[in-house]
Amino acid sequence: MSDNTKPVPVKESFHNALSASFLGPCAENFDILQRLFLGALDEHAKTREYYKSQDGPFITSSMKASAEFSKAVEVLERTAEQISGLLNARSVPFFSVRYMGHMNMEVSMPSIVGWIIAILFNPNNVAFEASPVTTVLESLVGEQLCGMLGYAKHDDVSPWGHITADGTVANMESMWAARNLKFYGLSVHAAMTKGDKPLAFVANDFTVTTCDEPDTPQLLSKLTAWQLLNLTPDVVLSLADRLAAQYGITSEFLGKALEPYLAQTTGKEKLMKMYGVDVEPLYFISSTKHYSWPKAAALIGIGRENCVNIKVDNNARIDIDALTAALQDCVNRKCAVYAVVAIIGSTEEGSVDPLDKILALKPKFAKQGLSFLVHADAAWGGYYASMLRERPVPMIGLPKEGEDPDRDFVPSITLRDSTVDQFKALAQTDSITIDPHKAGYIPYPAGALCYRDERMRLLLTWSAPYIDGGAQGDGSIGIYGIEGSKPGAPAVACYLHHSVLGLHREGHGALLGEASFTCRRFAAHWSAMSDDKTSFIVIPFNAVDESDIKIIRERILDQSNEDIVADSDALKVLCKLGSDLNINAFACNFRINGRVNDDVEEANYLNNRLYNRFSTPKPGSEIDIKTIPLFLSSTVFKQEDYGDCVKNFQTRIGLETDSCQDLFVLRNVVMSLFQSAGNYVQSLAKSFQAGLEEEVKNVVARNTVSPQTHVFLMQGSDNLYLVYRPLFYHANGRQQLILAASFSDPTQAAQYKALRLAHPDLTFELSTDQKTTVGDLLRSRQIVGNVTAPPLFAIFMQSVKITITFVVKDRPLNSRWRDPAYPASCTPFYLYGTPAEKHVDHMLLRAPNAQISSDRVTLDCTPALTPDQLAKGVIVYLNRPEAAMQPFTTKAAAFFEPGTSFGVTVYSDSQPAKASGPGLSQGGARIATGRITLGRAVFYDAVVVNTADFAEGTKVSAYTARSTSMDRSAQEDWRDVVKNALGLGGSSV
């Protein structure tokens, strides 16, 4: 890799040349792609026609003239037309400049053509004889990637790379290699000293150096298990070559000698037991890691719990101090370490870990006897290394000096200096994951794994890792990876793309440079879209200097690309914005009457609505995908993963952090080279702002207390209790309220008592006859309403006047006051009433939840509760863990039916009536134990209480969605749409 990291002159646009490699948002290059397609098909047809032409045709003209043939062709054409129509009508338009959601854009024309050329032959790169051309091309692609990433031949050892299905497989393979490397020293030692001892003849004079004494050779046979586990990668990988050089040991003999002792054969547990290693080695990686890592740890046998998270800093980069402390702890506990993973472009935030500082820890801890690999997960970021490489010859077609760029002038800019340092450091890593089907613009599936030392790949076989191991063994790529059969088409797609664009700063690097410029233009809008007076707030994850906001608003937002390039101060500010690698994470909040919302759940709701507005519509939404003005993606910053990082971000947004809630975050991923053309970024930003302003109105309405009709459950007949029907997600009902009350009119009291006697199984409700607020009701101590008993539609009593005599409970249900988890050992209820009539209402400690109430329960406990205890209210723990039942189903389960009995423990309620949580179910004194039996009228609701959407025209959702993936019902809707379009009909199974 070139050390010349001088920025690409931003005035020199490579846009015209790059535009020739893509079909274009409006299929502008259709004629080129059509010509290439037809040329590939024509050449392939000639190949078939002239191969053994003497064999003659096997599909004859008479066959083609038959009714059966015609019918089959008709079915083919019709079905293909159906599929094509379905995809064109319903697919996400990744090709559009309006798409900036996931890591998707249209793939390049060279890669499409390469894929098509190869798929007509369908080569299988698992074996050389089945794919001689594409196997060689895959090897060449591996060389291209290694060169771009900075790997070079050293000490007669060459790097090596190959294509995998994706980054997940590449990460898994790297972990497999790391595991085998870690135990290889033990395996060689065991072959010298244990069992049949096939290598005993070298035990007395074969020496190696340890990581803490690199200048002092020691007998390998005399090393401790700790020393063997911490041999450096170079020492381990040179063992086979040294045994061959010193003793003439052949690869065949060494392979057979070691096979019974390899972790590949015995499993690592047997080796660990053999050597008394009782502490599992660990893998260290950032807590914001890709999900493939714990999956790989499970599959490779390392175990997910041994893939240890290291916390991140406020920029979502691995915290070096925390990593240093974790490694030191391993030294102190004699715990081996497989590897440390550096993320080069996190898929959620575009962050690049400080790889140079991670690499600096290797020699530091080697002096203490600890050795480990460093792997770079550059699935997203790897191709950005092309932005640093020089082109061998000048690029043609650059604008002439002094030439005015046209409307579509799109600058290409380089990486920030701090990021460049990390890409320089890639050359010192042991292995790198890179995904051509991400920032390489290659069709799926195409991941890749590169090794600094080609001998690493031999650890995945039962062959010894010799320098010339490839020459001695099979040239087939498939034996060195996880996959068996693997397509050759991705290799051709990669090779053609790499060869046409070039993996350098004037080719692929310029493409990513243009996307980088566009990404920072979007970052400018997220940074300055809101101010102190707007009803909405937009905050980018990557913090912006307040001193730069004025320049952003005045000299960047509404300026053309040309103007920004000509304004050095503006360009300098622009280059500071956004993430390390072309992903903008940001979140929105809102103000009510000038006050910033501090409720995390309500901010999450706003961002969730924005995501639904600017993402693939659900089939039942009646929204045409073509009407979506722009496409974003989303993610969730979980407290357990992001820790102080997400709390810092929440503080910047204006949200409280005490409740430790996860944060729903929006993302825009920039890959298109066309979005900045013609100042299109401004248009997309305005579309987003218009949608944001509309959604803020909905969210403000849901968080504004206003007169409404309120509903209470009526419990008891001798003494009346009212239990409020709450709403978690609306300010008008966000409280759990239990009131002792009485009828103002004795006649109405008698009428109600008669109703209860006549209908003991009904739950009666009191609905206010005028719209009002709960606060006004409590202040007036009066409620006037109508008595009903859903699902019956009749009004049993009208204009009933009720006086509030005592407030048993009046606690807020805002998200910050809820418990962090559902009760794990019980299901808590409030119990209140009189000795003659006792009632219960489920404690709503966390959302989503269910309101479960029963009047006139039977309580048999020792000692019996006093009238004062019942009047004030106590807490009963039902002996069933609520966590095991959550989330509650929308219909009442059998265990909450009338007459159901539970063992219970009764506690005093140590909290006042208006106390806020969390922890409201705890702290009281244990006062009784016994059994409780639900009454005849049991109320259960898990729908209304969890209603999330109150905006006009929206579909009511049972819960506030926190997932960023499509829910099951939407997936089922999509199955129905696809099946119906194909004439299959019916719902999916």
Side-chain angles (χ1 to χ4, degrees), residues 601 728-729 813 818-819 822 844-849 886 945-946 959-960 962:
E601 185 171 73
F728 277 117
Y729 307 119
L813 296 179
R818 301 184 204 140
D819 285 5
Y822 295 106
L844 301 176
L845 301 176
R846 186 168 173 81
N849 220 310
Q886 290 284 4
V945 68
N946 297 307
Y959 307 119
T960 296
R962 290 172 179 262

Side-chain angles (χ1 to χ4, degrees), residues 608 611-612 616-620 949 955-975:
N608 203 326
Y611 168 65
N612 289 331
T616 305
K618 297 180 180 180
D949 293 310
K955 182 179 179 181
V956 172
S957 172
Y959 307 119
T960 296
R962 290 172 179 262
S963 173
T964 59
S965 58
M966 188 176 291
D967 61 45
R968 181 64 180 269
S969 64
Q971 293 176 20
E972 294 300 328
D973 288 344
W974 271 108
R975 294 185 210 280

